[in-house]
Amino acid sequence: MLVKVPKESVEEFLDKLRERVYGYNTKIKDYGVYLKPYHIVYKKEKKYIYIGKYWYKIMKVNGKLKWIYLGRNKPIGEMPDPPSLVNFTIVMEGNTYILDERMLNQIVRHELLY
């Protein structure tokens, strides 16, 4: 069942998610890859936030930084394991976020993080 959630609550969750993933990225900086915790797509006046593991490598091309997508699986086997994340989608319509009630319950209990 889909439920509406206040914008502030989802943004607080995203802040905590970013903080934990950025801490992990600090640990793995010597490998030259980065984990992004979500991907945002705008379509037909809606904002879709896809939560999951998105691996990137940063390269310089013509003096500019480019993020090169590597996939959803850990690209280097000997790296430490990333934080556990369940894949799910959050949709934003206006100032209201919509997500699956089961995912909301897991977010509230912090089961999606570590």
Side-chain angles (χ1 to χ4, degrees), residues 34-36 55-59 65-69:
Y34 299 90
L35 177 64
K36 290 179 89 175
W55 293 94
Y56 288 85
K57 179 178 187 172
I58 298 177
M59 297 181 71
L65 292 179
K66 286 195 79 138
W67 287 80
I68 309 299
Y69 178 66

Side-chain angles (χ1 to χ4, degrees), residues 89-108:
T89 303
I90 300 171
V91 179
M92 182 179 181
E93 286 185 291
N95 283 332
T96 304
Y97 285 91
I98 301 167
L99 62 147
D100 184 274
E101 185 175 27
R102 289 175 295 152
M103 290 299 143
L104 176 61
N105 291 336
Q106 288 182 333
I107 290 170
V108 169

Side-chain angles (χ1 to χ4, degrees), residues 5-24:
V5 180
K7 181 178 179 179
E8 298 79 24
S9 298
V10 173
E11 289 176 353
E12 181 182 329
F13 163 71
L14 293 175
D15 287 343
K16 289 179 183 177
L17 180 62
R18 271 192 305 270
E19 183 180 307
R20 291 186 180 179
V21 171
Y22 292 169
Y24 172 74

Side-chain angles (χ1 to χ4, degrees), residues 17-114:
L17 180 62
R18 271 192 305 270
E19 183 180 307
R20 291 186 180 179
V21 171
Y22 292 169
Y24 172 74
N25 283 339
T26 300
K27 291 181 198 176
I28 64 165
K29 67 182 176 183
D30 293 337
Y31 292 96
V33 297
Y34 299 90
L35 177 64
K36 290 179 89 175
Y38 55 84
H39 178 71
I40 298 175
V41 174
Y42 295 91
K43 187 176 179 184
K44 295 184 181 179
E45 300 181 18
K46 291 183 183 178
K47 176 180 175 180
Y48 295 85
I49 304 171
Y50 298 98
I51 306 294
K53 296 175 188 156
Y54 301 95
W55 293 94
Y56 288 85
K57 179 178 187 172
I58 298 177
M59 297 181 71
K60 252 189 180 175
V61 178
N62 297 327
K64 296 181 181 180
L65 292 179
K66 286 195 79 138
W67 287 80
I68 309 299
Y69 178 66
L70 300 175
R72 299 192 76 181
N73 297 319
K74 186 169 71 169
I76 303 170
E78 62 266 6
M79 289 186 343
D81 287 334
S84 66
L85 291 170
V86 174
N87 298 320
F88 68 99
T89 303
I90 300 171
V91 179
M92 182 179 181
E93 286 185 291
N95 283 332
T96 304
Y97 285 91
I98 301 167
L99 62 147
D100 184 274
E101 185 175 27
R102 289 175 295 152
M103 290 299 143
L104 176 61
N105 291 336
Q106 288 182 333
I107 290 170
V108 169
R109 292 192 311 260
H110 299 284
E111 290 181 11
L112 295 179
L113 303 174
Y114 286 96

